[in-house]
Amino acid sequence: LRMRTSSDDQMRRTSDFLSKAAVPALQRAGIGPLGFFASVIAPESPFILAIAQFPSLAALETMREKEAQDPEYAKARDAYTGMPSRSYERLESSLLRCFETIPAIEVPPTDAQRAARVFELRMYESNNSTTLARKVKMFNEGEMGIFRRLGMRPVFFGETIIGARMPNLVYMLAFDSLAARESAWNAFGNDP
């Protein structure tokens, strides 16, 4: 969800709607894992990135049907979208196919005492499907193992099959802090 920084406080309103209405409705529909991420350092900020895992396209359609029939969600959605100012600027969606070496979202372990993590989202655009396949193979056959060995926690890796800037692949890594991120990428760059 693309936002703007203004007096109508789109980020807070949307975060409240997601946490209090959308997440419970998606959980009632059996969807998960779910993740919602606010931008800290990113082009086109502010935004909220939502990720959800579906075992099939049919499961995505079933979730949409359940959501449409959920009166609690409908009431909250209507209140959120019925405000006089815009709730968000733009909604963009992509559909990704998971990589062989990470076939599902990997939620990093957490507990109540743990400090918030830093999540890094990256996109590699390719010239064509051949160069994209080569990049996917590189991750599957080598770089994924290096990431894990260096403590870079993969959350998901996927090839975009519907979305913007295709052909591309998108992935997310989790780090304990910005300093840990810098250290891990330096180690990755120096890895033989």
Side-chain angles (χ1 to χ4, degrees):
L1 295 162
R2 300 279 179 208
M3 306 286 177
R4 70 169 177 232
T5 303
S6 64
S7 61
D8 54 5
D9 204 1
Q10 289 180 340
M11 285 295 287
R12 182 197 51 77
R13 286 179 22 227
T14 300
S15 294
D16 286 349
F17 168 73
L18 291 171
S19 66
K20 295 174 183 171
V23 168
L26 290 166
Q27 290 172 333
R28 285 191 299 272
I31 301 307
L34 301 165
F36 295 89
F37 305 87
S39 57
V40 175
I41 302 168
E44 301 182 50
S45 288
F47 63 83
I48 296 174
L49 171 71
I51 62 171
Q53 179 175 301
F54 299 92
S56 67
L57 289 175
L60 172 61
E61 187 57 31
T62 299
M63 179 279 304
R64 292 177 56 90
E65 291 168 2
K66 287 180 179 180
E67 185 180 74
Q69 297 169 1
D70 185 329
E72 190 176 335
Y73 174 74
K75 181 179 177 183
R77 182 201 58 222
D78 291 347
Y80 169 68
T81 59
M83 295 179 182
S85 59
R86 294 174 72 170
S87 300
Y88 54 87
E89 296 301 305
R90 184 83 46 230
L91 172 65
E92 300 169 3
S93 297
S94 295
L95 180 63
L96 308 179
R97 177 180 29 234
C98 291
F99 284 20
E100 290 174 16
T101 52
I102 184 166
I105 292 173
E106 295 183 7
V107 178
T110 190
D111 60 53
Q113 288 75 41
R114 188 179 195 310
R117 284 197 171 88
V118 172
F119 292 87
E120 182 174 12
L121 183 72
R122 302 190 106 176
M123 176 188 283
Y124 284 92
E125 297 178 30
S126 294
N127 297 330
N128 54 55
S129 60
T130 301
T131 58
L132 179 66
R134 192 174 325 141
K135 191 71 175 170
V136 169
K137 181 178 179 182
M138 181 187 73
F139 279 111
N140 279 330
E141 293 183 359
E143 287 191 7
M144 192 75 65
I146 298 169
F147 284 168
R148 290 185 190 281
R149 181 170 41 80
L150 296 176
M152 303 165 90
R153 294 182 194 95
V155 176
F156 74 85
F157 276 70
E159 176 186 348
T160 302
I161 57 175
I162 298 173
R165 300 180 177 151
M166 291 176 61
N168 70 58
L169 64 86
V170 180
Y171 68 94
M172 180 180 279
L173 299 171
F175 300 94
D176 289 334
S177 65
L178 281 174
R181 178 205 171 272
E182 292 300 316
S183 177
W185 277 114
N186 286 336
F188 180 83
N190 293 321
D191 192 89

